[in-house]
Amino acid sequence: MPGPPSGYDREFDDRFARRLAREYRRDGLTASAQLILDFAASVGLEGASVLEIGGGIGDIQLEALKRGAAHTTNVELSSAYEPEAARLLDEAGLRGRATRVLGVDVAGEPEAVEPADIVVLHRVVCCYPDYRGLLGAAADHGRRAVVFSHPGHGL
Ligand SMILES: C[S@@+](CC[C@H](N)C(=O)[O-])C[C@H]1O[C@@H](n2cnc3c(N)ncnc32)[C@H](O)[C@@H]1O
């Protein structure tokens, strides 16, 4: 079976991760990430499980946990975010409610990832060659909702 697509570590590297973490610490969520979070909250975050595909440093997941989500899972193809993600989780005291999965492509290995109440993809669909496959896998994993953005629409 082919592995996950390669090149993501190079494209989304530790410099990119550090910049995202710096901006999140300084400004909180970006406007588009806030829209995603608010939409998820309108579906219902209290006690929910959240799966984020390509969630980077995990900023949306942190805010979802602060708003009552029971557990979050981040699935990423780039390993560059892990140090910043771990620091942010520790700072918030939320490490125990977050799972981080590396190198699994949900579109290629759907059975490797558990379903969740809410599935989130923020600025991810545009970075993946088979957007239909990815969104289809996301839909199969979301028990209540799939919330996603596409940068072409100002997000
Ligand atoms: C532009 S970055 C956005 C990161 C984060 N969502 C944010 O908005 O800060 C896109 C991310 O999606 C990840 N990605 C793309 N396709 C993916 C897939 N099939 N599974 C997991 N991660 C994926 C990439 O590794 C990259 O980190």
Side-chain angles (χ1 to χ4, degrees):
M1 183 194 296
S6 60
Y8 285 85
D9 271 314
R10 232 183 4 262
E11 182 74 23
F12 303 104
D13 60 9
D14 52 350
R15 210 162 145 234
F16 180 62
R18 280 198 304 273
R19 177 165 69 76
L20 290 181
R22 192 170 56 243
E23 290 172 356
Y24 171 58
R25 280 196 180 87
R26 189 185 63 211
D27 304 326
L29 291 183
T30 63
S32 58
Q34 187 65 51
L35 277 176
I36 295 261
L37 181 75
D38 289 345
F39 194 87
S42 75
V43 174
L45 279 173
E46 192 60 46
S49 55
V50 177
L51 166 64
E52 185 166 4
I53 300 172
I57 58 168
D59 48 352
I60 293 176
Q61 294 155 67
L62 281 163
E63 298 299 322
L65 289 168
K66 290 178 190 169
R67 283 172 72 164
H71 193 90
T72 61
T73 301
N74 185 73
V75 183
E76 248 303 336
L77 295 180
S78 167
S79 61
Y81 304 102
E82 295 316 298
E84 292 296 346
R87 262 193 288 277
L88 288 167
L89 281 167
D90 285 342
E91 283 165 19
L94 292 168
R95 180 92 83 123
R97 283 162 58 200
T99 300
R100 299 205 42 106
V101 179
L102 262 186
V104 171
D105 177 10
V106 184
E109 293 178 81
E111 67 293 337
V113 179
E114 290 289 312
D117 295 318
I118 299 173
V119 178
V120 166
L121 303 96
H122 179 229
R123 304 191 296 183
V124 173
V125 174
C126 53
C127 310
Y128 187 78
D130 175 19
Y131 73 91
R132 283 177 204 272
L134 185 58
L135 284 176
D140 287 341
H141 281 74
R143 284 188 286 257
R144 283 158 50 193
V146 176
V147 190
F148 71 96
S149 68
H150 193 287
H153 296 277
L155 297 176

